Amino acid sequence: MANTRPPTITTTSGGAGDEHHGWFAALDKDIRSFESHSKVPEGLCWLISAPEESIAPWYNELMKAWKKAPPYTHEDAIVLVYDALHEVHPNVIDITHLEGCLRFYGLPQYYPLVNNRLRERVENAFFFPFRLNTLPVIKNRVKDAGNFTVSVAVKNLRFLPSDMQSMICERREALRKGDGSRASELLKQINSSRDYEIVKSTWNEELVTKKYQIRLRGIAPPEIEMHYGPEARDELRKMIGGKCLTISVFYIDVHRRCVADVYCEDTFVQVRLVRNGCAWVLTCS
């Protein structure tokens, strides 16, 4: 799968003599596709190692800005991408999304030099890949002191895969018609998937959620079969079980785990595990 778009020249569409480079045609095509199907380019997800639902909100902002004023220069396009990110994340800018999108469409990587407005905003931002705000953690989904599964509510069903959307809609229709058997069958199918499930909220409302495998960044806890492994796991279960977490994901590893820093209320989970003797700190030699 190609992960960049070559900046070849294409013909312009009747404007005032401006030349649109390949990035314009590619971006225009993908935005139109997003408008029709709510799907971000698969190659972009792969390039920046982020799930589609973390990219879709700012891609939606990019689509709205594009409709108002399509860019005609590299500088305009870079500012457009940045502004879309800033609209979704006003306090935290995702540098991997910004650089990845520019690289994907063959745009220059000199965004801090574009103009004073963009340079000032980029230099004053704090960057990390993406943030997850979870639902309460289920204790038995903590496998050991370094790996666990969390669920995040899906706010917009348009960003789900089409087959998952179909099953959820069919289940809701079955419930509306009182067909409990079919609804239960569909619920079982949905919840058996790797990435999605339907759960009950504390106010007894059904929520569609996305599941993420989390790996704690920067520490090495004992494996579950090692000495003190079960005790370390139980310490983490006690710390995060039944609680909502704030997770800053830095990258996704080859096992599709989100390698991340994790905060539980005001507690930095990795630091607490190390201080409690449940993990070692990883160091670079």
Side-chain angles (χ1 to χ4, degrees), residues 96-150:
T96 60
H97 286 182
L98 178 60
E99 292 183 341
C101 188
L102 298 182
R103 189 179 306 117
F104 185 70
Y105 289 108
L107 289 164
Q109 295 286 310
Y110 58 81
Y111 58 90
L113 306 177
V114 171
N115 58 34
N116 290 334
R117 175 169 64 99
L118 185 57
R119 179 170 66 249
E120 183 177 302
R121 288 161 71 184
V122 171
E123 287 176 350
N124 290 334
F126 173 71
F127 300 117
F128 58 76
F130 63 95
R131 176 178 289 172
L132 302 172
N133 294 306
T134 78
L135 296 170
V137 176
I138 299 172
K139 280 190 176 183
N140 63 14
R141 291 188 174 179
V142 179
K143 298 177 183 177
D144 56 40
N147 297 277
F148 55 94
T149 302
V150 298

Side-chain angles (χ1 to χ4, degrees), residues 101 191 239 254:
C101 188
N191 288 356
M239 196 184 312
V254 294

Side-chain angles (χ1 to χ4, degrees), residues 15-280:
D18 294 295
E19 276 194 318
H20 290 168
H21 291 260
W23 59 264
F24 184 97
L27 193 49
D28 181 61
K29 177 184 176 183
D30 288 343
I31 285 175
R32 291 177 186 275
S33 176
F34 180 81
E35 184 177 16
S36 301
H37 309 294
S38 301
K39 300 288 287 184
V40 301
E42 183 180 1
L44 181 58
C45 298
W46 178 87
L47 179 63
I48 65 178
S49 297
E52 183 175 340
E53 56 268 28
S54 74
I55 306 174
W58 66 260
Y59 217 83
N60 187 56
E61 293 298 329
L62 186 62
M63 178 188 69
K64 290 190 289 187
W66 183 278
K67 283 183 174 181
K68 290 179 182 178
Y72 282 87
T73 67
H74 284 144
E75 289 80 3
D76 288 344
I78 294 167
V79 172
L80 190 78
V81 171
Y82 181 91
D83 283 345
L85 275 169
H86 189 263
E87 189 69 26
V88 177
H89 305 291
N91 299 317
V92 181
I93 303 300
D94 184 341
I95 193 64
T96 60
H97 286 182
L98 178 60
E99 292 183 341
C101 188
L102 298 182
R103 189 179 306 117
F104 185 70
Y105 289 108
L107 289 164
Q109 295 286 310
Y110 58 81
Y111 58 90
L113 306 177
V114 171
N115 58 34
N116 290 334
R117 175 169 64 99
L118 185 57
R119 179 170 66 249
E120 183 177 302
R121 288 161 71 184
V122 171
E123 287 176 350
N124 290 334
F126 173 71
F127 300 117
F128 58 76
F130 63 95
R131 176 178 289 172
L132 302 172
N133 294 306
T134 78
L135 296 170
V137 176
I138 299 172
K139 280 190 176 183
N140 63 14
R141 291 188 174 179
V142 179
K143 298 177 183 177
D144 56 40
N147 297 277
F148 55 94
T149 302
V150 298
S151 295
V152 177
V154 176
K155 296 180 180 179
N156 192 332
L157 297 185
R158 291 193 314 144
F159 301 142
L160 295 176
S162 57
D163 59 336
M164 188 60 60
Q165 288 185 45
S166 298
M167 283 194 288
I168 291 170
C169 291
E170 185 180 349
R171 181 171 187 275
R172 288 178 175 176
E173 182 64 16
L175 288 172
R176 190 184 67 80
K177 293 180 177 179
D179 188 351
S181 176
R182 180 57 179 161
S184 296
E185 180 184 339
L186 288 164
L187 179 64
K188 190 173 182 179
Q189 290 180 38
I190 293 167
N191 288 356
S192 65
S193 70
R194 175 190 171 97
D195 295 320
Y196 298 95
E197 67 179 348
I198 293 177
V199 300
K200 288 276 190 179
S201 69
T202 53
W203 52 94
N204 207 35
E205 180 183 347
E206 284 194 348
L207 293 176
V208 179
T209 67
K210 172 74 186 290
K211 293 180 282 190
Y212 293 89
Q213 310 294 324
I214 306 299
R215 172 70 181 179
L216 293 174
R217 187 177 79 106
I219 64 171
E223 301 290 339
I224 193 65
E225 67 274 4
M226 295 172 62
H227 179 65
Y228 200 61
E231 291 83 355
R233 177 203 59 197
D234 292 344
E235 180 69 20
L236 181 58
R237 284 181 173 179
K238 180 180 176 181
M239 196 184 312
I240 67 174
K243 298 177 182 177
C244 298
L245 307 177
T246 299
I247 301 177
S248 300
V249 180
F250 284 78
Y251 63 93
I252 298 176
D253 68 14
V254 294
H255 303 293
R256 291 183 60 188
R257 298 176 301 187
C258 297
V259 181
D261 286 347
V262 177
Y263 292 85
C264 180
E265 298 171 343
D266 294 327
T267 300
F268 187 9
V269 170
Q270 286 102 301
V271 170
R272 177 66 65 84
L273 286 173
V274 171
R275 286 179 177 173
N276 290 354
C278 299
W280 299 274

